Amino acid sequence: MSPVLTRPTLASGQLRQILEQVYRDRPMQHFTAGQTVPLPQDSIWVVCRGIALITTSYESGDEALLGLAGPSMPFGSPLSWVMPYEIQALTDLDLIRLKLAEIEQTPLLAQDLFLMLAQRYRQTEMLLSLIGQRRVEDRLRNFLQLLGREFGQPEGQLLRLNCRLTHQHLANALGTTRVTVTRLIGQFRREGWLDFDEQRHLVLKAAA
């Protein structure tokens, strides 16, 4: 049985609005797609716009996807014990840097960050539940549905992912091979619930 995928209850732009009001005199830091984000030990980043790719790598050279951070989601070295812990801008990315000392001194900010950390926690649990599915087809189908629900832009009965996840990204996330992902993507396209737009962004049927 496939896991039930639901949206978080907190509006994705709520924390971003709070941050931009509280830190309106502090410029956001911009990273272009493909750029690596530095990870200071005394701070966390919060995404204002765009999507960040969170990965780790092994001695073999293989990579694993730990998660995706979208608007209002925090990430940073103080939030993880994984080594190496690597962040790459999947799309153009605007971030605000918050020092841990600042968070400790601002209870309202700390409370809202906790809610968004809970969203990241739910995403991580969902990824783990997908990895436990035996059939790669089920893993990929449910992972794409998860991406659509978390990051998709509704367009009628469709959900458009305004980022370009490669077949290798998907393979890394699900512990399979790029060849297998490519074959299954072709199958899903023939089934009619997945396609690509002119910019090669994934488009899913909302009811998939």
Side-chain angles (χ1 to χ4, degrees), residues 124-190:
T124 300
E125 283 201 333
M126 184 57 68
L127 287 173
L128 288 172
S129 74
L130 297 181
I131 293 298
Q133 293 183 305
R134 180 168 299 178
R135 296 195 334 148
V136 178
E137 177 181 342
D138 294 335
R139 281 186 245 160
L140 180 58
R141 189 186 302 272
N142 284 297
F143 182 60
L144 292 172
Q145 291 179 15
L146 172 63
L147 293 177
R149 284 167 172 78
E150 287 222 345
F151 303 109
Q153 300 298 316
E155 297 180 3
Q157 295 299 311
L158 303 176
L159 290 169
R160 186 181 308 276
L161 288 174
N162 292 325
C163 61
R164 295 183 62 178
L165 281 167
T166 68
H167 290 188
Q168 190 62 58
H169 285 144
L170 297 172
N172 292 345
L174 301 172
T176 186
T177 66
R178 181 183 57 80
V179 173
T180 299
V181 168
T182 299
R183 175 179 59 81
L184 289 172
I185 290 290
Q187 173 185 322
F188 296 160
R189 293 184 74 180
R190 291 190 295 272

Side-chain angles (χ1 to χ4, degrees), residues 4 11 14 27 39 47 81 86 88 103-104 112 120 125 128 138-139 150 154 157 168-169 197 204:
V4 177
Q14 183 176 339
L39 296 171
V47 178
W81 284 352
E86 300 161 344
Q88 185 182 65
I103 298 171
E104 293 173 358
D112 288 322
R120 282 282 319 283
E125 283 201 333
L128 288 172
D138 294 335
R139 281 186 245 160
E150 287 222 345
Q157 295 299 311
Q168 190 62 58
H169 285 144
D197 65 13
L204 311 174

Side-chain angles (χ1 to χ4, degrees), residues 48-152:
C48 288
R49 297 176 185 84
I51 299 176
L53 191 70
I54 306 171
T55 64
T56 190
S57 57
Y58 306 109
E59 292 182 0
S60 63
D62 295 330
E63 289 188 352
L65 178 66
L66 300 178
L68 296 164
S72 299
M73 290 187 179
F75 63 82
S77 292
L79 302 178
S80 178
W81 284 352
V82 175
M83 290 294 290
Y85 183 73
E86 300 161 344
I87 310 294
Q88 185 182 65
L90 183 60
T91 66
D92 284 354
L93 199 58
D94 289 322
L95 305 177
I96 285 181
R97 178 179 171 180
L98 299 176
K99 291 190 175 182
L100 298 180
E102 294 177 282
I103 298 171
E104 293 173 358
Q105 295 167 9
T106 313
L108 180 60
L109 179 59
Q111 177 182 336
D112 288 322
L113 281 170
F114 172 79
L115 294 175
M116 296 316 297
L117 277 170
Q119 182 179 346
R120 282 282 319 283
Y121 176 81
R122 287 191 292 268
Q123 181 193 104
T124 300
E125 283 201 333
M126 184 57 68
L127 287 173
L128 288 172
S129 74
L130 297 181
I131 293 298
Q133 293 183 305
R134 180 168 299 178
R135 296 195 334 148
V136 178
E137 177 181 342
D138 294 335
R139 281 186 245 160
L140 180 58
R141 189 186 302 272
N142 284 297
F143 182 60
L144 292 172
Q145 291 179 15
L146 172 63
L147 293 177
R149 284 167 172 78
E150 287 222 345
F151 303 109

